[in-house]
Amino acid sequence: MSNLSRRTLLLSTGATLLLAKTGAFAQGKGGWTPPVIPPHDPRVDTEWRHYAADQANTRYAPLDQINAANFNNLEVAWRFKTDALGTRKEYQFEATPLLVKGRLFLTAGARRDCIALDAATGEMLWMYRIDEGKRAQNAPRQLSGHGCSYWTDGTKERVLFVTVGYQLVCLDAATGYPDTSFGVNGIVDLKKDFDQEIDPVTADVGLHATPLVVKDMVVVGAAHTSGDVPTTRFNVKGYIRAFDVRTGKRKWIFHTIPKKGQYGYDSWLNGDADQAGNTGVWAQMSADEELGLVYLPVELPTGDEMGMYRRGNALFGESLVAVDVNTGERRWHYQFVHHGLWDRDLPCAPILCDIPVAGKMVKALAQPSKQAWLYVLNRETGKPIWPIVERKVQAGDVPGEWYSPTQPFPTRPPAYDRQGTGPENLINFTPELHAEALELVKNYVTGPLFTPPTLSKEGGPFGTLVAPGLQGGTNWPGGCYDPETCKVYVYSKTTIGLIGIVPSTDKNVSDFAYVHGVTGIAPQPQFSMGAAAPEGGRPQRPPAAPPRPGLPRPGPLTVQGLPLIAPPYGRITALDLTKGDIAWQVAHGETPDNIRNHPALKGLKIPRTGREGNLGPLCTKSLVICGEAGFFTNEQGIRGAMLRAYDKATGEEKGAVYIPAPQSGSPMTYMLGGKQYLVVAIGGGNYSGELVAFKLPREA
């Protein structure tokens, strides 16, 4: 029986309580019936040993003490502020803690300290800090990251995390002291033994994601500076490595950019693979130990919207690759975008799930995406569960660019967010606002999902409008999975992005011939995820020479300050994998103040619009739980956000509790001492990072 055919509840004693199979067939009927999962015993303490609960990345816990009847009664059990960690406050606190034997483990603070907290009180038990100096200051992926990982052999317990400066640290879980038998004094320098020579201080490589612990190995990804204006085409290659969790010795390496003679090398034309960079795994990974596979969601090669130096389909860019857990050898791959020009990196770990297909249970996986498709594959073979068809797509006009003649289109499930920038997707509150939107987009190229980037020209078109926007759709938090009903729940944001391509005239900025930009705006390198940036996530770019008088000029992609695209701007979708259909969808997030109070909408009854952000939902026995992505002002004039709970079967909202800042990390839950706790990282705006734990009142 597959590891994933069972739901397990890990006890604080280290024992395992088998709960149920994730699916069964009705005897003699040939149909699938939901499994019966016994009620959880509240006397049993549970654990959360992986970033998203388990190696399958389900973010699921079969707990029901917190339920629809009492969610509104939740109160703060404790809170942990991160201000004292690091040399400055952090406002982008994205960690999800682990829970093992009554202790929470996570990374926090601007320096990315690793800490242990008492899970009942929030008291700090220990803290590990490393000062990496210039190495950290130059790092592309800064701040606290997404957390840490845990390993035990039943006696030894270890916590592992990747530092800002790209070093793998192994700590004793009881004390926080480095394990001196691991690497050099508890540290493996990830810029060494990398099958390439890179500068230890300035090389453009790091990681936000947690390493993946599988068997007695820890698998580490690689991430780089965002690549819409890459400094160089010869960037670091994002190879993936596994290390012995006891010694730190490298066990294997997978070349995400194949070397000559390796599988996939010929998919790069003119030997472009030899000089290309990036193509790392900056997302979380998942694993199936019984199948012996690790699943790698791979990003683009350098650069994000310009492919003139990575001609061809360029494996393994924008591919999911299954590698042998013991050797790192490729077993299968599936490329979701050929020669991508839209920054459609695979942003999160695939969710591993056993689902009924044509009368039998199949080991499957479900991959959320920036393009708002849920790709469902057989995780043993990589073959699609439902057909994914190649369809012809348009070529663009960028000199020297290579264009794939086709792209893969899933037939099921349907897209769970808007795709394309046709008139039907533009703002529609009133006919007047819609008419303004139609007039605005005349200065841009619009079209379906794979409409290519275009040269940005004086007077227009200024570039290609794309939906979903450049960050999705779905981004790094990914989704969650309910094994009782075979439903995936995923948050997505609805935005329009602009991709214009301009000549690169300053070699100090980029050695690319063309880069992402808009005529009239000087291109500059994009900030890295996690580095300081203004609200909205992108640095302000200095103006270049404006267009000649009388010609249109680029401006905000808004209509009277309202979003160009129609709401909802954020949504949670339930996708039924027994049918390949959408089960339900709700707008998630209160209507922003600037929309609710806009004079053009006065007198109109506007349904809740939801709001954009990067959010990960949590699934429990009866609820889907997710915080909001932005601030709003309530009827009492209090500014904050809400943590909301939905009926997992219908999507009906069952409760909401106030949080003083938006959800910034993904929620998790556990039982401890007979009480269920719900823990989430919050932060943003002028509210610095904080971990907040909720539980029911004592009398509940």
Side-chain angles (χ1 to χ4, degrees):
M1 181 178 293
S2 165
N3 295 352
L4 296 167
S5 297
R6 304 174 186 264
R7 288 302 310 174
T8 60
L9 192 66
L10 297 173
L11 311 185
S12 60
T13 60
T16 300
L17 176 65
L18 297 180
L19 292 184
K21 297 181 180 181
T22 62
F25 287 98
Q27 189 71 25
K29 296 180 181 179
W32 177 79
T33 56
V36 177
I37 295 184
H40 170 67
D41 184 346
R43 296 167 298 179
V44 176
D45 292 347
T46 64
E47 299 197 341
W48 186 284
R49 289 194 175 188
H50 297 268
Y51 167 79
D54 46 31
Q55 291 174 328
N57 226 68
T58 62
R59 201 178 286 125
Y60 168 80
L63 307 181
D64 58 2
Q65 187 179 91
I66 296 172
N67 54 52
N70 58 33
F71 192 88
N72 282 332
N73 299 329
L74 287 175
E75 62 181 23
V76 174
W78 53 262
R79 25 194 350 157
F80 181 84
K81 200 73 174 171
T82 65
D83 291 0
L85 302 175
T87 57
R88 57 187 172 93
K89 294 181 180 180
E90 181 188 15
Y91 298 88
Q92 193 173 326
F93 182 31
E94 297 177 348
T96 297
L98 311 181
L99 185 282
V100 184
K101 298 181 183 178
R103 303 156 299 173
L104 292 174
F105 301 106
L106 67 151
T107 52
R111 196 199 302 267
R112 197 178 300 177
D113 300 332
C114 189
I115 61 175
L117 305 178
D118 185 306
T121 65
E123 177 188 4
M124 185 188 288
L125 303 176
W126 55 254
M127 182 267 286
Y128 174 85
R129 169 176 294 172
I130 182 171
D131 186 350
E132 297 177 291
K134 292 287 185 182
R135 179 172 176 144
Q137 293 173 26
N138 294 327
R141 303 290 167 131
Q142 300 193 11
L143 303 179
S144 60
H146 297 164
C148 54
S149 300
Y150 173 85
W151 171 87
T152 184
D153 61 2
T155 302
K156 295 180 180 179
E157 293 183 287
R158 297 294 180 259
V159 173
L160 301 106
F161 77 105
V162 176
T163 68
V164 172
Y166 204 48
Q167 300 188 84
L168 178 61
V169 179
C170 183
L171 306 174
D172 186 305
T175 65
Y177 289 120
D179 178 358
T180 55
S181 63
F182 183 88
V184 179
N185 297 320
I187 297 176
V188 169
D189 188 338
L190 294 171
K191 292 185 179 179
K192 297 179 179 178
D193 202 11
F194 204 9
D195 286 9
Q196 58 190 311
E197 293 298 323
I198 61 175
D199 187 280
V201 176
T202 63
D204 183 58
V205 63
L207 193 64
H208 267 152
T210 67
L212 174 69
V213 170
V214 51
K215 294 188 175 180
D216 287 338
M217 286 182 286
V218 53
V219 185
V220 182
H224 313 274
T225 302
S226 182
D228 65 351
V229 185
T231 303
T232 179
R233 53 186 283 202
F234 309 106
N235 204 19
V236 178
K237 298 176 187 289
Y239 298 150
I240 312 305
R241 287 165 291 172
F243 299 89
D244 187 299
V245 76
R246 290 184 172 87
T247 66
K249 181 180 178 181
R250 193 182 96 176
K251 301 288 288 186
W252 53 256
I253 186 168
F254 178 75
H255 297 131
T256 51
I257 301 176
K259 293 178 175 291
K260 192 170 185 177
Q262 292 181 335
Y263 183 95
Y265 180 83
D266 292 339
S267 69
W268 300 69
L269 304 182
N270 304 101
D272 284 356
D274 298 335
Q275 297 180 332
N278 293 64
T279 328
V281 174
W282 58 260
Q284 299 294 142
M285 295 175 275
S286 33
D288 185 329
E289 288 193 358
E290 184 173 288
L291 292 179
L293 295 177
V294 175
Y295 302 93
L296 311 178
V298 184
E299 65 159 357
L300 275 163
T302 324
D304 288 350
E305 293 94 30
M306 304 79 56
M308 60 278 297
Y309 303 121
R310 49 176 176 84
R311 291 159 291 184
N313 284 345
L315 294 176
F316 292 97
E318 293 177 303
S319 301
L320 184 65
V321 185
V323 299
D324 187 287
V325 67
N326 295 310
T327 66
E329 294 180 357
R330 170 196 165 276
R331 292 270 196 93
W332 60 258
H333 78 277
Y334 198 95
Q335 188 173 56
F336 297 126
V337 182
H338 307 317
H339 189 82
L341 301 171
W342 303 269
D343 193 12
R344 302 300 190 200
D345 299 337
L346 273 66
C348 54
I351 298 167
L352 311 189
C353 47
D354 295 346
I355 63 175
V357 178
K360 65 178 182 178
M361 295 300 290
V362 172
K363 300 176 190 297
L365 61 81
Q367 177 68 66
S369 67
K370 287 184 176 181
Q371 49 269 38
W373 268 318
L374 186 73
Y375 297 86
V376 186
L377 308 178
N378 183 310
R379 70 174 183 271
E380 292 185 270
T381 65
K383 303 298 183 183
I385 298 298
W386 295 283
I388 299 178
V389 298
E390 293 286 334
R391 294 178 182 162
K392 291 182 179 180
V393 293
Q394 179 184 347
D397 63 354
V398 177
E401 186 57 87
W402 188 90
Y403 296 96
S404 174
T406 65
Q407 292 291 350
F409 285 74
T411 57
R412 301 183 79 85
Y416 54 83
D417 211 311
R418 286 199 175 88
Q419 294 179 329
T421 51
E424 70 281 2
N425 285 337
L426 301 182
I427 185 172
N428 56 9
F429 290 123
T430 68
E432 293 78 14
L433 291 170
H434 186 67
E436 286 190 43
L438 292 175
E439 189 64 27
L440 186 154
V441 301
K442 288 180 181 178
N443 295 315
Y444 300 87
V445 174
T446 60
L449 180 66
F450 290 111
T451 302
T454 190
L455 285 173
S456 182
K457 300 171 185 175
E458 187 176 16
F462 301 125
T464 299
L465 297 181
V466 296
L470 297 181
Q471 293 195 13
T474 302
N475 208 284
W476 60 266
C480 60
Y481 178 69
D482 176 18
E484 296 184 57
T485 60
C486 294
K487 287 187 176 71
V488 166
Y489 304 94
V490 64
Y491 168 87
S492 61
K493 55 187 172 186
T494 308
T495 61
I496 284 182
L498 170 61
I499 308 178
I501 305 296
V502 297
S504 177
T505 57
D506 186 348
K507 296 305 179 185
N508 292 319
V509 172
S510 176
D511 63 17
F512 270 58
Y514 290 85
V515 294
H516 178 125
V518 179
T519 296
I521 306 295
Q524 68 178 28
Q526 174 68 303
F527 80 102
S528 62
M529 291 181 65
E535 188 172 352
R538 294 183 181 272
Q540 301 299 312
R541 290 176 174 167
R548 294 192 302 273
L551 292 176
R553 61 182 304 165
L557 294 177
T558 60
V559 177
Q560 297 185 31
L562 295 167
L564 178 59
I565 202 165
Y569 309 122
R571 63 190 81 196
I572 292 176
T573 305
L575 297 116
D576 186 344
L577 298 192
T578 69
K579 302 175 181 177
D581 288 336
I582 291 176
W584 54 259
Q585 188 174 79
V586 297
H588 178 68
E590 193 53 73
T591 304
D593 293 352
N594 69 310
I595 296 175
R596 185 165 36 183
N597 302 322
H598 198 284
L601 305 181
K602 189 174 182 180
L604 297 179
K605 188 175 181 180
I606 305 295
R608 182 182 291 170
T609 65
R611 62 189 308 155
E612 63 175 285
N614 290 324
L615 297 173
L618 164 72
C619 183
T620 68
K621 180 72 174 174
S622 61
L623 300 175
V624 175
I625 300 168
C626 193
E628 295 182 326
F631 292 92
F632 77 99
T633 306
N634 66 16
E635 293 80 0
Q636 289 75 42
I638 299 173
R639 190 167 180 262
M642 303 298 288
L643 183 65
R644 300 188 185 273
Y646 303 93
D647 185 298
K648 75 178 186 182
T650 66
E652 179 184 356
E653 185 171 319
K654 293 298 185 180
V657 293
Y658 171 81
I659 44 179
Q663 174 178 310
S664 52
S666 300
M668 53 85 71
T669 188
Y670 54 89
M671 293 293 298
L672 185 64
K675 285 288 185 181
Q676 183 181 352
Y677 291 78
L678 180 61
V679 178
V680 63
I682 64 173
N686 60 0
Y687 197 96
S688 56
E690 184 176 47
L691 199 65
V692 182
F694 292 93
K695 66 179 180 62
L696 294 170
R698 181 169 299 180
E699 62 273 12

